[in-house]
Amino acid sequence: SQNDNNNNDDDNNDDNDNIQNKTLLDTEEINVWRTGMKAMAALPHVYVKISMLGYIVPDWIQSDEGENVVKDLVKETIDMFGPKRCMFALNWYKNGAVSDGSSQVG
C-alpha cells in the first residue's frame, strides 16, 4: 500500500539538500531523476531495482564523498518507494567494473 512508503516531502528535504550539495552530481540531472522517480513512486504497482551504483557516481567507492552521495541516493529512493517496493540487484560482476571508473560496461 502507499502507506508503506511513509513519503513526507518535508522529511526528505535534508536528504535532497545533501545530495544537491555534492559536487559529484549535476543538479539539473538529479532534479530530472528525482521528478521521474517521484512520479513512478506515486504509482502503487511500480517497484524499483537499486543497481549500477557506479554508473551515476563513477569512482564512488574510492572517496568518502562518493560513498556519501550513493548512500543518500539509495536512502532517498527507499524513502520514495518504501522498503517493500525496493529490491537490490545482485549483479556485482557488472556493477563492480564501473564502480572504480576503470572500465565501461554496457
Side-chain angles (χ1 to χ4, degrees):
S1 82
Q2 279 192 293
N3 290 337
D4 290 337
N5 68 11
N6 296 323
N7 188 6
N8 183 334
D9 287 337
D10 292 336
D11 290 342
N12 291 331
N13 284 341
D14 288 338
D15 291 336
N16 296 348
D17 291 342
N18 288 341
I19 292 169
Q20 289 177 344
N21 288 334
K22 304 297 183 183
T23 59
L24 299 176
L25 296 177
D26 178 275
T27 301
E28 185 176 333
E29 286 183 20
I30 199 67
N31 286 334
V32 169
W33 170 83
R34 185 174 288 121
T35 298
M37 292 296 280
K38 285 181 180 180
M40 288 189 294
L43 303 170
H45 64 282
V46 175
Y47 291 69
V48 65
K49 178 176 89 170
I50 298 171
S51 177
M52 298 300 288
L53 302 175
Y55 180 77
I56 188 70
V57 184
D59 297 325
W60 71 274
I61 60 173
Q62 296 181 9
S63 72
D64 289 340
E65 181 184 20
E67 188 175 319
N68 288 331
V69 168
V70 169
K71 282 182 189 179
D72 290 343
L73 289 171
V74 169
K75 183 180 181 311
E76 183 176 356
T77 301
I78 293 169
D79 288 344
M80 282 187 229
F81 284 83
K84 291 183 179 182
R85 292 173 50 209
C86 294
M87 60 189 118
F88 285 89
L90 298 176
N91 58 343
W92 186 252
Y93 66 93
K94 194 170 186 179
N95 191 21
V98 296
S99 291
D100 67 0
S102 65
S103 64
Q104 296 293 324
V105 176

